[in-house]
Amino acid sequence: LLDYCATHPTATVRFRASDMVLNIHSDASYLSATRARSQVAGYYFLGSEPTDDAPIKLNGAILVFCGILRFVVASAAEAELGALFLNCKE
């Protein structure tokens, strides 16, 4: 990160006018933390409304959430649902 900042000293985050829908990309990593716990993350951003034939136009990030589930889950699907729950709760 520091190398990038030194190489690009005028880097900026741009927010463009759009239909401004809050999007969240949620993910989990199953059994990757100590004591058999799972890591979760979420990327919150404003962007265009998702459609089937076009990708989401990204605006700047609003929040990046990272955490570890406090409980042990039985499958990767449960870890993903736990991540989704935590991201919606945030």
Side-chain angles (χ1 to χ4, degrees):
L1 182 62
L2 291 176
D3 185 43
Y4 181 84
C5 291
T7 307
H8 305 284
T10 59
T12 59
V13 175
R14 274 199 193 130
F15 291 92
R16 294 185 301 265
S18 66
D19 47 1
M20 296 292 176
V21 175
L22 178 64
N23 294 285
I24 304 171
H25 287 178
S26 179
D27 198 15
S29 176
Y30 177 60
L31 297 180
S32 59
T34 59
R35 294 186 287 164
R37 294 179 298 168
S38 301
Q39 295 179 348
V40 296
Y43 180 74
Y44 300 68
F45 63 96
L46 293 175
S48 62
E49 191 163 345
T51 59
D52 290 336
D53 57 344
I56 298 172
K57 291 186 178 128
L58 299 176
N59 243 329
I62 301 294
L63 174 71
V64 176
F65 170 74
C66 297
I68 295 178
L69 292 177
R70 288 187 275 172
F71 45 86
V72 178
V73 294
S75 67
E78 283 185 15
E80 293 285 346
L81 286 174
L84 187 60
F85 173 77
L86 288 176
N87 281 311
C88 290
K89 188 174 134 182
E90 188 67 31

